[in-house]
Amino acid sequence: MVRTIRPALVVFLFLSVVTGIVYPLAMTGVAGYVLPRQAGGSLVMKGDRLVGSTLIGQDFADARYFHGRPSVTVGPDPADPSKTVAQPYNAAASMASNAGPTSRALVERVAAAVSRLKADNPEAVLAGLPVPMDLVTSSGSGLDPDISPQGALFQVARVARVRHLREETVRALVDRMVERPLMGWLGEPRVNVLELNLALDTLH
C-alpha cells in the first residue's frame, strides 16, 4: 500500500507545482515581455487618465456617443446586499441571460430594445436601415466591447446630428475604425466602441 501511495503523492505534488505554479508564472512572464499591453489588460489611456479597456465594454448612454451591445450583468444591490440589480458591463459578474429563443422575457426585452433603438435613431429608420441584431441582444459574456460595422453605421446619423457634424465625416471615421478578421478569415469585421468614441472626440 505504502509503495503505491508514495509514488502517487510524489507525482501529484510534482504536477501540482509544475502546472499550478511554474507554468502560470512562466506564461505570465513571457506574455508580459512579448505583449506587455495585452498582458496588462489592454488598458486605454486618455492623457494620464485611465478610461477603460479594449476588452471590456462600457455603458455609453449619451446620445453624443456610439452605443455598444446590451449587457445583462448584475451586481449586489447597495440597498440590500442579499439582492442583485442590473450593473451593465460588470466584469466581476460576466454572464449571459441564459434565456432561450422561446423565452417570453427575452422576446419582450429584445422588442423593447428595438423600440428604444428606433426612437433614438429616427434617421436610420427613415433611411430603411435594418436593425442590427447585435445592438438589441447581449453577448455570451455580457462584456462585449465591439459591435458590427452595421451596428456602428446605424448610429452615424444620430451621432452626427447631436454633434453637429457631417454624416460623411462620421461615416468615414467608422470605416477607418473597422477591424478586419484576423489573417483575413478568422472572426468577423468589428468596431471597438471605446476606441471609436475616443476617436470621435478628436473630431472637434
Side-chain angles (χ1 to χ4, degrees):
M1 179 70 72
V2 175
R3 291 181 178 178
T4 304
I5 294 178
R6 184 175 180 180
L9 287 175
V10 170
V11 171
F12 172 75
L13 291 174
F14 173 76
L15 291 177
S16 296
V17 171
V18 171
T19 60
I21 299 176
V22 177
Y23 180 76
L25 288 176
M27 290 299 99
T28 300
V30 170
Y33 180 76
V34 178
L35 301 168
R37 179 175 175 274
Q38 290 84 344
S42 297
L43 302 180
V44 179
M45 306 294 294
K46 187 175 183 179
D48 58 354
R49 182 168 61 93
L50 176 64
V51 294
S53 166
T54 58
L55 303 178
I56 300 175
Q58 294 187 34
D59 189 20
F60 291 102
D62 194 318
R64 299 174 64 251
Y65 290 106
F66 287 90
H67 301 164
R69 298 190 67 171
S71 174
V72 295
T73 56
V74 298
D77 186 344
D80 185 355
S82 65
K83 299 178 181 179
T84 59
V85 292
Q87 289 186 2
Y89 303 102
N90 180 4
S94 174
M95 62 178 292
S97 66
N98 292 328
T102 59
S103 168
R104 183 174 180 179
L106 176 62
V107 172
E108 292 176 350
R109 185 166 66 245
V110 171
V114 170
S115 296
R116 285 195 303 272
L117 191 66
K118 288 182 175 180
D120 291 341
N121 301 273
E123 299 92 345
V125 176
L126 288 174
L129 296 180
V131 173
M133 188 60 66
D134 56 313
L135 293 186
V136 295
T137 57
S138 60
S139 65
S141 67
L143 307 176
D144 197 342
D146 304 320
I147 56 176
S148 65
Q150 293 76 18
L153 292 173
F154 190 86
Q155 304 176 66
V156 162
R158 184 242 312 155
V159 172
R161 167 172 49 83
V162 175
R163 286 181 175 259
H164 305 292
L165 295 170
R166 295 177 59 196
E167 286 188 30
E168 293 79 5
T169 301
V170 180
R171 187 175 294 107
L173 175 65
V174 170
D175 290 338
R176 289 200 305 271
M177 298 300 294
V178 173
E179 299 178 37
R180 306 300 174 186
L182 184 63
M183 297 184 290
W185 60 271
L186 188 59
E188 296 290 333
R190 63 197 184 280
V191 180
N192 187 276
V193 180
L194 174 58
E195 293 184 333
L196 175 60
N197 284 333
L198 289 175
L200 181 63
D201 281 340
T202 66
L203 292 182
H204 286 289

